[in-house]
């Protein structure tokens, strides 16, 4: 018994062409996804703990390649580090450096006063060491201030 209907070639079938297009599109999509996830951006990472008010330079950081996708502008790139940059907040060892963590004016390592704390430089009967206004606060000034505060605490 023979079929009265003539068989069309399979490559002329619409379902075959749609399936072929779907396979090509899915392979191209996976290739684009993988290639975009492998793009990395060089950013700075702290090699030691940096205190607020401390002058920062390239010696304080190492360059690491990380995949940040759309967040690359939120972190400090090696070419964005300025010569007179100062840390505006504490940067623990190993942290990627956010763009907001560096500034050009020293915000000395003074504690942020709560509404209950005294606003004078005298803390618990001792004079708080400060070199702000005369020169940039150094790491030594920040450590001296922390020692004065911690030794005066009850």
């Amino acid at each position: 018994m023979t079929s009265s209907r003539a068989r069309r070639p399979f490559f002329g079938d619409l379902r075959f062409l749609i399936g072929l297009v779907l396979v090509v599109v899915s392979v191209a999509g996976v290739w684009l996804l993988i290639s975009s996830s492998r793009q990395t951006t060089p950013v700075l990472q702290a090699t030691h703990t940096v205190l607020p008010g401390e002058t920062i330079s390239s010696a304080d950081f190492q360059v690491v390649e990380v995949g940040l996708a759309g967040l690359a502008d939120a972190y400090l790139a090696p070419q964005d580090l300025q010569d007179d940059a100062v840390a505006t907040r504490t940067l623990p060892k190993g942290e990627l450096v956010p763009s907001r963590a560096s500034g050009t004016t020293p915000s000395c390592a003074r504690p942020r006063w709560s509404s209950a704390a005294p606003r004078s430089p005298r803390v618990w009967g001792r004079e708080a060491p400060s070199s702000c206004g005369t020169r940039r606060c150094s790491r030594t000034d920040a450590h001296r201030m922390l020692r004065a505060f911690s030794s005066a605490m009850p």
Side-chain angles (χ1 to χ4, degrees), residues 54-140:
E54 190 176 335
T55 303
I56 54 177
S57 67
S58 60
D60 298 319
F61 307 109
Q62 66 181 0
V63 178
V64 293
E65 294 276 336
V66 291
L68 294 173
L71 298 174
D73 294 337
Y75 292 94
L76 199 61
Q79 66 271 15
D80 297 337
L81 186 63
Q82 299 173 352
D83 292 335
D84 57 346
V86 180
T88 58
R89 69 174 186 83
T90 302
L91 297 168
K93 178 182 177 180
E95 180 181 2
L96 297 180
V97 182
S99 298
R100 293 179 152 180
S102 72
T104 54
T105 59
S107 61
C108 294
R110 289 184 179 167
R112 296 184 186 226
W113 302 105
S114 67
S115 59
R119 297 205 181 258
S120 71
R122 295 189 65 79
V123 179
W124 294 294
R126 294 190 180 188
E127 190 70 28
S130 175
S131 62
C132 296
T134 58
R135 62 181 171 83
R136 286 204 177 115
C137 294
S138 67
R139 176 181 281 183
T140 308

Side-chain angles (χ1 to χ4, degrees), residues 8-29:
R8 292 189 328 195
F10 71 92
F11 54 85
D13 190 9
L14 183 60
R15 291 175 292 182
F16 174 75
L17 294 176
I18 291 173
L20 186 63
V21 168
L22 286 174
V23 168
V24 169
V25 167
S26 67
V27 167

